[in-house]
Amino acid sequence: MHELSIAMSIVDIAIEYAQRDDAHEVREIEIEVGTLSGVVVDALDMAMAAAVKHTICDGAEWKITEVQARIRCPESGESHPVNSLFEPCPECGNYGHELIEGKELRVRSLLVD
C-alpha cells in the first residue's frame, strides 16, 4: 500500500510548513488527488489516520478532493473529462490529446495554530 508512504510525506510537508510559521498544531490538511494519479482515495484516507498519530497533525482534519482528469484535443480545441488516457475525444474521435489535469497529488492548503 503505497498510500501510507504518501500519507507520511503529506504529514512531513504539513509539519515542515507549520514549523516555518512557528505553529504548534496542524488543524486541517486539504489534499487534491487526480483521478489518474494512481492513488486510491479510500486507502489514502485510512493511511492518513495512521500517519498523523503522535505528530503535531494528530487531531487534524484532512479533506481529500478528487480532481477529475481532463483532456484537451488539438483537433477540436475542446477539453473533456475522461476516466482513462485511452479514451478518444468525444467531439472528433482523435486520440492525440493532451492531459491537462487529473494526475495531481498535492497539499492544497494547511490550517495551523
Side-chain angles (χ1 to χ4, degrees), residues 57-107:
C57 300
D58 205 348
E61 179 182 349
W62 55 90
K63 298 176 180 178
I64 302 173
T65 304
E66 280 192 278
V67 177
Q68 177 62 50
R70 296 186 65 80
I71 59 163
R72 178 173 295 118
C73 177
E75 292 292 321
S76 69
E78 298 294 320
S79 67
H80 304 280
V82 293
N83 295 314
S84 164
L85 288 175
F86 306 107
E87 292 180 29
C89 172
E91 295 287 321
C92 68
N94 182 16
Y95 283 92
H97 47 69
E98 168 192 11
L99 184 67
I100 56 175
E101 63 183 343
K103 291 191 81 171
E104 49 274 282
L105 173 58
R106 70 176 137 235
V107 176

Side-chain angles (χ1 to χ4, degrees), residues 8-113:
M8 292 171 68
S9 293
I10 290 169
V11 169
D12 288 344
I13 290 167
I15 291 169
E16 178 185 339
Y17 278 87
Q19 289 173 342
R20 283 185 190 176
D21 288 343
D22 294 324
H24 301 289
E25 177 186 14
V26 176
R27 293 182 38 212
E28 183 179 283
I29 305 169
E30 188 178 352
I31 306 160
E32 289 184 337
V33 179
T35 57
L36 296 180
S37 68
V39 175
V40 178
V41 172
D42 289 341
L44 179 60
D45 187 50
M46 288 191 307
M48 285 296 295
V52 298
K53 295 283 187 206
H54 309 294
T55 71
I56 63 172
C57 300
D58 205 348
E61 179 182 349
W62 55 90
K63 298 176 180 178
I64 302 173
T65 304
E66 280 192 278
V67 177
Q68 177 62 50
R70 296 186 65 80
I71 59 163
R72 178 173 295 118
C73 177
E75 292 292 321
S76 69
E78 298 294 320
S79 67
H80 304 280
V82 293
N83 295 314
S84 164
L85 288 175
F86 306 107
E87 292 180 29
C89 172
E91 295 287 321
C92 68
N94 182 16
Y95 283 92
H97 47 69
E98 168 192 11
L99 184 67
I100 56 175
E101 63 183 343
K103 291 191 81 171
E104 49 274 282
L105 173 58
R106 70 176 137 235
V107 176
R108 180 149 176 88
S109 68
L110 298 170
L111 181 61
V112 299
D113 280 333

